[in-house]
């Protein structure tokens, strides 16, 4: 009987821990959306882990590029030719809850639309946009990153989830949250997934 209670306690504790992780995750997602709605640097900067920063992945010409920042500023977009669009109040209100877990939205260049619409989240550790971009740039001698630096990016991706906000009116925001010291942080802003230019 004692074993049963220990097993039951362990099960309840693990369920509580998972629920707690998901609650703080969803709260952090909503803070990111609010920060982009209000164009509030303070909100976004409070979500950046000081030892990691935030990586902005963008396209200049054909290859993807990225820039690591430790301070985010809506007035200084990366890249400079692509302003950070404010999310509308209607889109924020309509996406107050995550609608698709483990099935993150994809962009179709043929229709120029996301599917599915809503707020979707991929599985932890499944997106490798950042490390693949760095590896491509290294392979083509466009960066001086070491193998250790790329391995560090892979470690970052292993604790991160990709989030896509896609509305039927064309508003979108694609970002990653990583978990460090029991807290979720904004680690990547993806500005390439809906860029179909050659």
């Amino acid at each position: 009987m004692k074993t049963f209670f220990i097993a039951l306690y362990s099960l309840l504790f693990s369920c509580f821990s998972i629920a707690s992780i998901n609650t703080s995750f969803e709260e952090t997602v909503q803070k990111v959306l609010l920060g982009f709605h209000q164009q509030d640097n303070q909100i976004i900067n409070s979500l950046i882990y000081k030892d990691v920063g935030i990586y902005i992945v963008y396209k200049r010409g054909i290859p993807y590029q990225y820039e690591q920042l430790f301070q985010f500023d809506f007035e200084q977009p990366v890249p400079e030719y692509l302003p950070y669009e404010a999310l509308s109040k209607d889109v924020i209100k309509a996406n107050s809850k995550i609608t698709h877990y483990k099935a993150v939205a994809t962009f179709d260049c043929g229709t120029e639309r996301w599917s599915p619409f809503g707020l979707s989240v991929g599985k932890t550790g499944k997106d490798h946009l950042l490390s693949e971009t760095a590896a491509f740039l290294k392979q083509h001698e466009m960066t001086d990153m070491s193998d250790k630096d790329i391995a560090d990016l892979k470690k970052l991706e292993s604790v991160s989830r990709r989030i896509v906000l896609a509305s039927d009116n064309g508003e979108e925001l694609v970002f990653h949250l990583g978990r460090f010291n029991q807290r979720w942080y904004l680690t990547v802003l993806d500005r390439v997934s809906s860029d179909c230019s050659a």
Side-chain angles (χ1 to χ4, degrees):
M1 189 68 159
K2 184 178 180 182
T3 307
F4 171 75
F5 284 116
I6 291 171
L8 182 61
Y9 175 77
S10 297
L11 178 65
L12 289 173
F13 181 74
S14 67
C15 289
F16 176 75
S17 295
I18 291 168
S20 176
I21 287 170
N22 284 339
T23 299
S24 67
F25 175 77
E26 290 197 18
E27 287 171 359
T28 306
V29 168
Q30 290 305 313
K31 283 182 186 175
V32 172
L33 300 183
L34 180 65
F36 272 83
H37 167 63
Q38 295 178 348
Q39 301 279 283
D40 189 323
N41 292 331
Q42 188 173 351
I43 291 174
I44 298 302
N45 284 315
S46 74
L47 300 173
I48 296 173
Y49 189 54
K50 62 180 174 57
D51 295 337
V52 174
I54 181 173
Y55 290 87
I56 316 290
V57 182
Y58 63 96
K59 197 171 184 181
R60 188 183 303 277
I62 294 174
Y64 292 168
Q65 306 283 326
Y66 65 89
E67 189 170 326
Q68 182 183 24
L69 305 174
F70 292 93
Q71 280 289 117
F72 185 87
D73 188 345
F74 282 101
E75 297 296 318
Q76 297 179 356
V78 176
E80 72 286 345
Y81 61 83
L82 188 59
Y84 299 116
E85 298 290 332
L87 296 172
S88 71
K89 187 176 184 177
D90 291 340
V91 166
I92 297 297
K93 189 175 179 181
N95 292 282
S96 62
K97 294 283 181 199
I98 294 171
T99 51
H100 307 282
Y101 263 104
K102 300 182 181 176
V104 73
T106 55
F107 190 80
D108 183 331
C109 287
T111 62
E112 296 187 350
R113 293 179 73 82
W114 287 95
S115 178
F117 293 129
L119 189 56
S120 61
V121 178
K123 293 180 181 177
T124 302
K126 292 297 181 188
D127 192 89
H128 305 286
L129 173 67
L130 187 57
S131 64
E132 288 172 358
T133 298
F136 177 87
L137 294 173
K138 180 179 166 80
Q139 179 184 1
H140 293 87
E141 299 178 353
M142 299 169 77
T143 185
D144 58 359
M145 281 195 96
S146 68
D147 290 338
K148 183 195 176 305
D149 293 334
I150 293 174
D152 288 344
L153 294 180
K154 288 180 180 179
K155 264 193 241 176
L156 171 63
E157 291 168 334
S158 74
V159 297
S160 298
R161 294 179 183 173
R162 181 174 190 245
I163 299 95
V164 176
L165 168 67
S167 74
D168 58 0
N169 70 358
E171 290 184 60
E172 65 181 60
L173 184 64
V174 184
F175 58 97
H176 298 194
L177 295 181
R179 188 165 167 79
F180 310 99
N181 300 324
Q182 308 302 312
R183 189 172 163 212
W184 291 98
Y185 291 92
L186 179 60
T187 55
V188 174
L189 185 59
D190 173 348
R191 309 199 79 196
V192 296
S193 287
S194 62
D195 183 349
C196 299
S197 60

